[in-house]
Amino acid sequence: MEFSQHDDDNNYSLTKFESMLKTNNVLFFDSNEFENIIQFYFENGRIALAKKAVKLGLEQHPSSIVLKLFQVEIYILEDKLPQAEKLLDELYILEPSNEEIYIQKASILSKRDEHEKAIDTLKIALELSDLEEEDADLYALIGMEYLFMDQFENAKTYFIKCLELDMEDYSALYNIIYCFEFLDLHEEAIDFLNRYLDKNPYCEVAWHQLGKQYSSLKDYPKALAAFEFAIISDDTFVGAYLEKGKVLEKMKKYEEAIENYNITLALDEPTSFALLRIGNCYEKLGSDDLAVQYYFKTVHEDPLLDKGWISITRFYNKKKDYHKALYYINKAINIDADNVRYWKLYAQINHRLNFIEEAERGYKKTLDLGNYELDTWLARTDALIGLGEYEASALNLIQAAEFYPETAEIEYRLAGIYFTLFENEKGQYHLKNGLLLNEDYHFILQELFPLIADHQMVVNIISGSKKTSK
């Protein structure tokens, strides 16, 4: 039996119990009262109070099987698996047909990553259960064990069984759709949701999920209709307005998208996501002042949201106001110095401003943080060349070649660097490699090393390659 706000007897028991804890006066409760108190605390995540209630309950009712099973649950939560197992073995001798013993045993097996054994144990509990509500819970637990093993087809089967017994179990519904999505079965997910909606036509969660499936298939008109039905079913469903806004953006209906995002701000606390999307919509509509206002609201609401800072920086980048762009990306880096996207933007802006040393520092930091895109390696090389750091630029390219072997852009740069360092043999080797890979890219030499490109030896190698290719 669960507590509710209107259940006076249970609320009285709870108040009496908490009053006892404050005064240290030991009061008597029957075992059912303890069970309800503990269940309430478990459901509300108040584990410390549940633990106290279990301890006091067992002191007053030392033979209660239910209270001992709650003690097992506490042991499992605290990772005291041997104690939990020992107590379960004692309880099994007393009540070998109590399905809760098998459920807790399965929980221990699951914690030990013995998921197949956990499933077998839960199936025994299923045979012992004679209540549909308990069966639904057991199907959900079996589904979760299959999820732990990435057996999505089996997991889906059991979550569907759970939903058939309890149509309101939205957790099972979400898990079913998760399985469909992981298996890349969007059409099948749509069929399933439509069948479910035939039985439960006002389920806003199902309409919302149906809209997301249509959206993933880029069927935006159907997605829009589904989100509208979700809103008809529950006109305070923030998630449906957000998804509807995203679809309207895809359909380039920016004013309508803004309307839906604004509804979410009125219904709930402002979210950085909605503020950012409104900013993007205004930017698409050419309302720059409003766009940047909403970008600033976004980072005020959530300073850690990188998309907000990136939107502000890119906004000023597009305006060619690089000093302002640099100012805001610096602010972002001060908040999160390990964000690789910030450092890449920082490097690019500094490069545009011809602050080459800072640009090189930014590219190096970007690489250090794991961004190994080819353009990052090449941009850092070009910055090092601009600084006259030829040995460092060669080393940078050799590292890049480990990730991008046989890349013409790397070979031409290495050729130019080695010719500059008067290592002509290496220069010729890399120039010939570059020409073999893509002879049209030899303009790189002209851009980065104009003196080298005009050297007779280099001109001869390039013209010789063109004759050979003809």
Side-chain angles (χ1 to χ4, degrees), residues 27 96 108 127 173 178 245 271 305 309 311 317 323 340 354 370 393 400 451:
L27 304 173
I108 293 168
E127 287 170 18
L173 181 60
Y178 173 76
T271 64
L305 182 73
W309 292 108
S311 292
N317 244 347
H323 288 282
V340 68
N354 211 29
S393 60
L451 295 175

Side-chain angles (χ1 to χ4, degrees), residues 358-392:
E358 286 304 309
E360 190 279 322
R361 175 173 165 257
Y363 290 127
K364 184 178 185 305
K365 187 73 177 172
T366 304
L367 291 165
D368 290 343
L369 289 168
N371 178 297
Y372 298 139
E373 291 170 5
L374 178 61
D375 69 334
T376 308
W377 291 104
L378 297 178
R380 183 179 179 226
T381 301
D382 297 350
L384 285 165
I385 290 166
L387 293 167
E389 300 277 354
Y390 296 110
E391 286 89 351

Side-chain angles (χ1 to χ4, degrees), residues 309-320:
W309 292 108
I310 287 163
S311 292
I312 292 170
T313 305
R314 286 188 173 150
F315 176 84
Y316 286 116
N317 244 347
K318 273 198 258 178
K319 298 282 175 197
K320 294 188 169 52

Side-chain angles (χ1 to χ4, degrees), residues 175-381:
N175 282 326
I176 292 162
I177 303 307
Y178 173 76
C179 292
F180 275 122
E181 284 180 344
F182 198 92
L183 295 164
D184 206 23
L185 300 172
H186 297 289
E187 297 284 4
E188 289 82 350
I190 287 167
D191 290 343
F192 173 82
L193 286 163
N194 278 319
R195 287 197 303 275
Y196 177 82
L197 284 161
D198 286 342
K199 298 174 196 164
N200 196 359
Y202 295 102
C203 175
E204 71 279 8
V205 173
W207 284 115
H208 178 252
Q209 290 297 306
L210 183 63
K212 288 180 80 171
Q213 294 306 307
Y214 280 127
S215 192
S216 66
L217 294 174
K218 295 184 170 51
D219 190 340
Y220 299 126
K222 282 185 180 173
L224 197 60
F227 293 131
E228 281 166 356
F229 277 117
I231 290 163
I232 290 165
S233 304
D234 177 3
D235 62 4
T236 65
F237 188 4
V238 170
Y241 288 108
L242 284 173
E243 292 295 337
K244 186 182 170 190
K246 282 158 70 176
V247 169
L248 287 163
E249 274 194 76
K250 296 265 173 54
M251 297 170 82
K252 296 185 169 31
K253 297 182 178 182
Y254 300 115
E255 289 98 339
E256 289 179 55
I258 290 167
E259 282 173 30
N260 280 273
Y261 292 135
N262 274 323
I263 292 168
T264 72
L265 301 181
L267 285 172
D268 205 350
E269 291 291 310
T271 64
S272 54
F273 176 83
L275 294 166
L276 179 66
R277 297 316 318 159
I278 292 170
N280 277 325
C281 288
Y282 277 126
E283 192 171 348
K284 292 271 172 46
L285 290 167
S287 304
D288 288 350
D289 289 345
L290 284 167
V292 82
Q293 271 181 45
Y294 275 93
Y295 292 148
F296 282 121
K297 285 181 184 180
T298 301
V299 295
H300 177 75
E301 185 64 35
D302 182 2
L304 293 174
L305 182 73
D306 60 356
K307 287 179 181 175
W309 292 108
I310 287 163
S311 292
I312 292 170
T313 305
R314 286 188 173 150
F315 176 84
Y316 286 116
N317 244 347
K318 273 198 258 178
K319 298 282 175 197
K320 294 188 169 52
D321 191 342
Y322 301 125
H323 288 282
K324 260 192 182 173
L326 186 59
Y327 172 76
Y328 287 110
I329 206 63
N330 270 317
K331 284 192 79 162
I333 286 169
N334 285 334
I335 292 166
D336 181 4
D338 291 327
N339 189 308
V340 68
R341 297 173 74 195
Y342 292 167
W343 282 105
K344 184 123 185 218
L345 273 170
Y346 170 89
Q348 290 167 343
I349 295 161
N350 275 295
H351 220 147
R352 286 197 182 107
L353 288 166
N354 211 29
F355 300 159
I356 306 300
E357 284 187 27
E358 286 304 309
E360 190 279 322
R361 175 173 165 257
Y363 290 127
K364 184 178 185 305
K365 187 73 177 172
T366 304
L367 291 165
D368 290 343
L369 289 168
N371 178 297
Y372 298 139
E373 291 170 5
L374 178 61
D375 69 334
T376 308
W377 291 104
L378 297 178
R380 183 179 179 226
T381 301

